């Protein structure tokens, strides 16, 4: 068997070779010529798996080591008889960790202190008064694997109210207390997006669901977080909302037109990171393991051997804040602090792909 693999997928070398001949290429540079005689692909979001790439090849299976699959033309794959899978839930806890860390930094910079303005992210953090969360309402838009982990995290932080918005689930689970996007906009202090990217005429399109009208409905103290897909949020509308101060702040990990992101939006957000919310070593190992197992099962091979794909152990002295720095921040931020990733991107936005492709070690625990 011959497998073409995105060369930025971590922890896969030495394991993929157990399946057959493995060839590693930059995900965005994989061509029709590369896959013509391949049996399987293991990719990430930068490889567009469509007719242009696959027609005339012998590829029979594609595994994307990601939750999202909007880079896969599922209609064409069905027409061509090519099976595929994604890795649902692989980095759900990693994204929840990202959202939690962003919330803690917002609190440390006075985002919800009565009568105070949000301090810049570059300002020294203050001690976090966690009781602030008890008077806030968090709206979670999209309550799948990731949204559920975010809900559990929010309960641990002690949020006063948690609103859940998921129209597909609401249709099939009328017994559960889901609310509409309009209700989330009107009632929430923080709105965090965790939906796939879908377009009309699908029943529940998410493209630009956070539109100009959405931002006009928000409270002036609202905070918006997007770590789902860039196009779920209208970037121009969000930029305008921030510049006009019609919302308090934004945290953006996923962007329209990646990697060529808006410098205006990047400069305006409190935290802006290069699509790495799900990039803990734990989440990456989960995705790699699930992708390898899926390929093995498809071709009738032993999938249990890939249970050995595990993230590396952190050094005993590891801390995002070295000893003596950031002594006022929450203990969780010593394990992961998105401000470090944000500073790197804001200083070098042209390095979006390099920062993403050469991401440092990060663990969830």
């Amino acid at each position: 068997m011959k497998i073409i693999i995105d060369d930025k997928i971590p922890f896969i070398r030495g394991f993929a070779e157990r399946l057959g001949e493995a060839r590693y290429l930059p995900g965005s540079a994989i061509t029709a010529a590369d896959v013509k005689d391949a049996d399987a692909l293991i990719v990430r979001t930068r490889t567009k798996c469509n007719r242009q790439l696959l027609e005339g090849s012998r590829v029979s299976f594609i595994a994307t080591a990601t939750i999202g699959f909007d880079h896969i033309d599922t209609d064409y794959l069905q027409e061509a008889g090519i099976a595929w899978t994604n890795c649902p839930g692989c980095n759900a806890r990693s994204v929840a960790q990202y959202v939690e860390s962003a919330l803690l930094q917002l609190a440390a910079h006075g985002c919800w202190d009565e009568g105070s303005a949000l301090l810049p992210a570059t300002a020294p953090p203050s001690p976090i008064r966690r009781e602030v969360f008890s008077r806030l309402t968090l709206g979670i838009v999209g309550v799948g694997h990731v949204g559920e982990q975010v809900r559990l995290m929010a309960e641990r932080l002690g949020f006063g109210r948690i609103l859940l918005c998921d129209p597909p689930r609401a249709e099939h689970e009328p017994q559960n207390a889901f609310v509409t996007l309009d209700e989330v906009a009107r009632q929430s202090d923080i709105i965090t997006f965790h939906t796939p990217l879908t377009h009309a005429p699908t029943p529940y399109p998410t493209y630009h669901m956070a539109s100009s009208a959405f931002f006009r409905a928000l409270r002036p103290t609202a905070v918006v977080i997007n770590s789902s897909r860039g196009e779920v949020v209208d970037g121009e509308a969000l930029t305008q909302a921030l510049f006009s101060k019609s919302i308090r702040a934004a945290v953006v990990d996923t962007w329209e037109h990646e990697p060529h992101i808006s410098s205006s939006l990047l400069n305006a957000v409190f935290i802006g990171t290069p699509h790495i919310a799900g990039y803990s070593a734990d989440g990456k190992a989960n995705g790699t393991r699930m992708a390898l197992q899926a390929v093995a099962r498809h071709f009738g091979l032993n999938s249990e051997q890939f249970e050995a794909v595990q993230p590396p152990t952190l050094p005993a002295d590891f801390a995002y804040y070295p000893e003596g720095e950031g002594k006022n921040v929450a203990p969780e931020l010593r394990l992961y602090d998105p401000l470090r990733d944000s500073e790197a991107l804001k200083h070098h936005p042209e390095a979006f792909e390099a920062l993403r492709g050469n991401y440092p070690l990060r663990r969830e625990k």
Side-chain angles (χ1 to χ4, degrees):
M1 180 175 16
K2 181 176 180 179
I3 312 167
I4 301 296
I5 303 172
D6 183 317
D7 65 358
K8 293 298 190 291
I9 294 176
F11 316 130
I12 197 168
R13 294 175 190 263
F15 286 101
E17 287 74 10
R18 299 179 184 182
L19 295 171
E21 177 188 348
R23 184 184 177 198
Y24 300 90
L25 296 168
S28 60
I30 295 174
T31 67
D34 295 323
V35 307
K36 185 175 180 59
D37 60 347
D39 299 286
L41 309 181
I42 303 179
V43 300
R44 299 187 309 158
T45 57
R46 292 300 187 250
T47 305
K48 306 302 181 186
C49 298
N50 52 22
R51 182 185 300 273
Q52 182 179 356
L53 179 70
L54 297 161
E55 191 167 46
S57 75
R58 75 173 192 224
V59 172
S60 65
F61 188 76
I62 297 172
T64 180
T66 59
I67 292 178
F69 55 89
D70 46 283
H71 54 295
I72 294 179
D73 185 340
T74 57
D75 290 336
Y76 171 71
L77 264 59
Q78 182 175 12
E79 172 191 327
I82 300 172
W84 67 278
T85 190
N86 62 329
C87 297
C90 64
N91 61 1
R93 293 183 63 178
S94 177
V95 177
Q97 179 192 44
Y98 175 91
V99 175
E100 178 179 20
S101 300
L103 292 171
L104 291 170
Q105 277 292 11
L106 284 160
H109 287 78
C111 186
W112 300 288
D113 290 351
E114 293 184 14
S116 300
L118 172 64
L119 296 174
T122 52
S126 300
I128 299 171
R129 295 188 292 275
R130 291 173 183 263
E131 64 272 13
V132 69
F133 296 116
S134 67
R135 56 182 172 82
L136 299 177
T137 296
L138 175 69
I140 302 173
V141 183
V143 196
H145 292 285
V146 177
E148 178 61 19
Q149 288 298 319
V150 171
R151 182 188 67 80
L152 293 171
M153 174 274 295
E155 289 180 349
R156 292 195 302 272
L157 281 183
F159 270 86
R161 294 177 69 205
I162 301 171
L163 303 180
L164 305 179
C165 175
D166 195 311
R169 286 190 62 185
E171 180 181 339
H172 297 99
E173 303 172 29
Q175 73 278 11
N176 290 326
F178 293 104
V179 302
T180 67
L181 186 63
D182 287 342
E183 290 175 278
V184 167
R186 289 196 309 270
Q187 300 181 43
S188 299
D189 300 289
I190 305 147
I191 303 96
T192 182
F193 289 92
H194 302 288
T195 71
L197 176 62
T198 58
H199 297 264
T202 57
Y204 302 105
T206 62
Y207 176 79
H208 280 190
M209 69 187 307
S211 62
S212 295
F214 172 82
F215 288 109
R216 285 195 298 270
L218 298 184
R219 302 173 178 183
T221 54
V223 173
V224 173
I225 302 173
N226 186 22
S227 56
S228 57
R229 284 292 181 264
E231 292 80 2
V232 168
V233 174
D234 183 332
E236 290 187 10
L238 174 56
T239 304
Q240 179 59 35
L242 289 166
F243 276 106
S244 65
K245 300 189 183 304
S246 56
I247 64 172
R248 175 67 57 86
V251 173
V252 177
D253 180 61
T254 52
W255 310 74
E256 290 191 285
H257 315 303
E258 292 180 12
H260 308 294
I261 65 175
S262 165
S263 59
S264 297
L265 181 54
L266 176 62
N267 291 330
V269 298
F270 178 73
I271 291 175
T273 50
H275 200 153
I276 49 73
Y279 266 34
S280 70
D282 309 70
K284 290 180 175 183
N286 289 340
T288 297
R289 184 189 320 110
M290 292 168 71
L292 287 168
Q293 289 176 328
V295 173
R297 285 192 295 267
H298 178 79
F299 291 99
L301 304 173
N302 173 24
S303 63
E304 293 182 1
Q305 61 184 312
F306 299 115
E307 290 295 331
V309 179
Q310 297 292 333
T313 302
L314 286 177
D317 59 349
F318 178 88
Y320 256 73
Y321 278 106
E323 197 64 39
E325 292 184 33
K327 57 186 177 183
N328 291 328
V329 302
E332 294 91 336
L333 296 172
R334 293 188 62 79
L335 188 63
Y336 173 60
D337 182 5
L339 279 184
R340 291 290 174 98
D341 295 328
S342 182
E343 290 169 5
L345 182 62
K346 289 191 174 190
H347 282 112
H348 296 285
E350 78 285 353
F352 189 101
E353 288 291 76
L355 291 169
R356 191 168 186 251
N358 300 288
Y359 194 65
L361 177 62
R362 165 185 156 203
R363 289 297 308 271
E364 295 168 17
K365 57 185 178 179

